[in-house]
Amino acid sequence: MQNFSNNRTSILTELSNGNAELGEAFAIIINDMVVQAGITNPMAESFEVTSKSWRNLAQKSDKTQEDIDKLDKEFKQSIYELAESYLLFIARQTKNLTGKLDYGQYESYLLKYRFGRYDIMNKPEYLNKVKVQIRNAFNKLSAHGETSGDNLIDKHDMAAYIYALATRVKRGDDGKSFKGFEINGIITPEEYAVNERNLFEAEDNLVSLKLRVAYKVLNNKL
């Protein structure tokens, strides 16, 4: 009992001292990016994951190995800083003391902050549809795009999600062929709407692939 009490006190201290402001700003901005799943809010603004100096260096044509290493390190740091702050913001809203979100907590958060504006609690059919979408999203996030996971969203899963949001598909000269992913450090409303729609779908799709790649990159498992 003493160990549990000490652990609980430690977690409460971390939650109270942590910085959730960045995560709250992120939550507000991405929620404003879409009006319905897959449909962009034309008045929404983009979210800058990286600093302007990072993006300027990324655009440099003759980057040295030192530049490349610096870009990689700073990008990953920015991703984890945002992921931890966003997870902390959600944790405070759901009274979660573990640092990891289970399905009930994730559903509660999305119903309030993503779908609450639609008054879905008074629309049973729409509510059931939304819950299916939330379950699909949770399954993908908690398993970082794999077929199964631990049914919890931790900071590594959330970092993979934000990494996936901050990357875009690179196309060939024909505009259609897939040439991999590229990073620009900015999440635009249009790109977010597409990623969210894919996240809400049950089948393995592009966002699933992006989550798998992101998790491996961030955890050096490539």
Side-chain angles (χ1 to χ4, degrees):
M1 181 62 70
Q2 182 63 39
N3 287 337
F4 174 79
S5 178
N6 289 340
N7 289 339
R8 187 174 186 275
T9 300
S10 176
I11 294 169
L12 281 170
T13 300
E14 182 179 347
L15 287 174
S16 62
N17 293 338
N19 177 17
E21 292 182 1
L22 177 62
E24 181 177 9
F26 177 68
I28 292 170
I29 290 174
I30 63 172
N31 284 345
D32 190 50
M33 287 183 177
V34 286
V35 291
Q36 293 181 20
I39 301 178
T40 306
N41 174 8
M43 303 299 292
E45 59 181 294
S46 297
F47 185 89
E48 298 178 359
V49 177
T50 57
S51 65
K52 185 176 181 180
S53 62
W54 184 96
R55 295 193 297 277
N56 288 339
L57 180 59
Q59 293 172 359
K60 183 180 173 183
S61 58
D62 55 343
K63 289 187 284 291
T64 65
Q65 186 58 50
E66 183 179 357
D67 291 334
I68 294 171
D69 292 342
K70 181 180 181 181
L71 286 169
D72 181 66
K73 180 180 179 181
E74 290 186 0
F75 183 68
K76 290 177 179 177
Q77 286 178 338
S78 297
I79 290 292
Y80 267 104
E81 178 184 355
L82 178 54
E84 290 174 356
S85 185
Y86 183 44
L87 195 61
L88 177 58
F89 172 70
I90 297 174
R92 288 180 175 174
Q93 310 313 307
T94 60
K95 312 301 182 185
N96 171 33
L97 304 179
T98 67
K100 298 179 181 182
L101 299 174
D102 62 25
Y103 176 71
Q105 292 156 350
Y106 181 72
E107 179 190 77
S108 174
Y109 170 76
L110 280 196
L111 286 177
K112 180 177 180 180
Y113 286 90
R114 170 64 180 86
F115 295 102
R117 57 190 168 186
Y118 305 122
D119 190 28
I120 59 175
M121 294 306 181
N122 293 318
K123 303 173 183 176
E125 291 185 4
Y126 186 43
L127 177 60
N128 291 335
K129 178 182 178 181
V130 163
K131 285 189 174 183
V132 170
Q133 292 177 325
I134 294 174
R135 170 55 77 175
N136 291 337
F138 179 82
N139 289 345
K140 288 184 178 181
L141 293 181
S142 62
H144 39 268
E146 301 290 352
T147 55
S148 62
D150 60 2
N151 290 316
L152 293 170
I153 298 175
D154 61 19
K155 66 178 182 180
H156 301 292
D157 299 318
M158 192 62 78
Y161 174 52
I162 293 172
Y163 190 107
L165 292 178
T167 60
R168 59 188 179 188
V169 175
K170 188 176 181 180
R171 301 291 184 184
D173 294 336
D174 59 2
K176 297 180 180 179
S177 59
F178 176 72
K179 304 291 286 187
F181 301 110
E182 59 183 359
I183 300 169
N184 66 355
I186 298 177
I187 301 172
T188 68
E190 294 80 11
E191 291 166 349
Y192 178 78
V194 172
N195 283 312
E196 187 195 59
R197 183 188 62 201
N198 286 332
L199 189 68
F200 285 159
E201 294 176 350
E203 66 267 17
D204 189 89
N205 53 31
L206 184 58
V207 81
S208 307
L209 173 60
K210 291 171 76 173
L211 287 170
R212 289 194 291 271
V213 171
Y215 189 84
K216 289 175 182 177
V217 168
L218 289 171
N219 292 280
N220 299 316
K221 293 185 177 183
L222 284 177

